[in-house]
Amino acid sequence: AKMQEVYDYCKLKMDVIWDGEWYIRAFTPSGEKFCTKDDEYNQIHLIPQAWSVMSHLADEGHANIAMDNVLKYLYTDMGLKTHYNPSEGFDPERKAYYLHPAGSRENGGIFFHSNTWPIIAFAMLGRGEDAFKCYENMLPIRRNDKADLCLTEPYVYSQTMIAPPHKSAWQCVNSWLTGTASWTYLAATQYILGIRPEYEGLCIEPQIPAEWEGFKVTRRCRGTTYHITVCKGDEKGLYVNGEAVEGNLVSWDTAHCREVQVTLVR
């Protein structure tokens, strides 16, 4: 009950942090909004947009507008920048706070750890194409032929990548030293493939690109093996051991092994 009260209170306060096209990042010590369209620097920040969706606090309309602006202002062919636009130096009056040069690390760089959260947010909004685009864009293997530019191994995530306007744009920093791999695995398997454990059962809610015809997965969870087949069809449906089930949840009171089929509308 207490948690519900907190959630309801936060829900009521969402209008306070809505800036017209996205959610603000924070308030300054003097009470000014930080990351608004009126700022000279740091107008839109990646994290509050993604977490407004992941927290289930943003309504669908505001959430989609915010995530549209993530693609508009933060998207690059190498990943999503932390915020737009980066600041130079330390100038509190102009809300320039970062000590890193513009385009590096938390100051408008591509921070791969936080790139995973928009993937989840897009999937939660039913925007599988955008979720997969952001996922595919940050894959190290896509930089296999750019080693001279990125200066990192093409088989491991780096913590960050330098972005424009920095003179060393697209160079990676701190490979191996990041939680990105585990978060990317979670985003890909639980939100793009859409197979994730929830309180009452195994949720199967794929958000795959339109060009995919489907996929097969064997998922072992809570002592039960699920053989899951996702395919395209004319009518959406979930079938467990051949029987239709409403919704997208396979309850935990299952047999030891079961066949699960999910049909997505073409």
Side-chain angles (χ1 to χ4, degrees), residues 42-78:
N42 313 307
Q43 292 180 6
I44 177 173
H45 201 287
L46 176 65
I47 291 177
Q49 317 321 318
W51 277 93
S52 72
V53 181
M54 294 171 66
S55 65
H56 298 277
L57 289 172
D59 64 74
E60 186 175 355
H62 286 142
N64 276 298
I65 293 171
M67 295 307 294
D68 285 343
N69 281 295
V70 165
L71 295 178
K72 179 179 178 179
Y73 291 101
L74 306 179
Y75 181 86
T76 77
D77 289 339
M78 295 287 197

Side-chain angles (χ1 to χ4, degrees), residues 147-168:
D148 291 342
L149 175 64
C150 299
L151 302 181
T152 191
E153 309 92 329
Y155 48 81
V156 66
Y157 286 103
S158 295
Q159 186 185 64
T160 64
M161 173 184 278
I162 300 172
H166 198 286
K167 64 181 181 180
S168 299

Side-chain angles (χ1 to χ4, degrees), residues 71 164 175 210 232 243 260:
L71 295 178
S175 60
K232 296 288 182 68
E243 296 183 7
V260 179

Side-chain angles (χ1 to χ4, degrees), residues 186-212:
L186 185 147
T189 57
Q190 296 195 19
Y191 289 90
I192 295 178
L193 298 186
I195 303 169
R196 59 183 176 273
E198 295 190 350
Y199 184 74
E200 295 180 342
L202 190 66
C203 180
I204 306 176
E205 192 177 29
Q207 296 295 334
I208 58 176
E211 64 183 19
W212 288 21

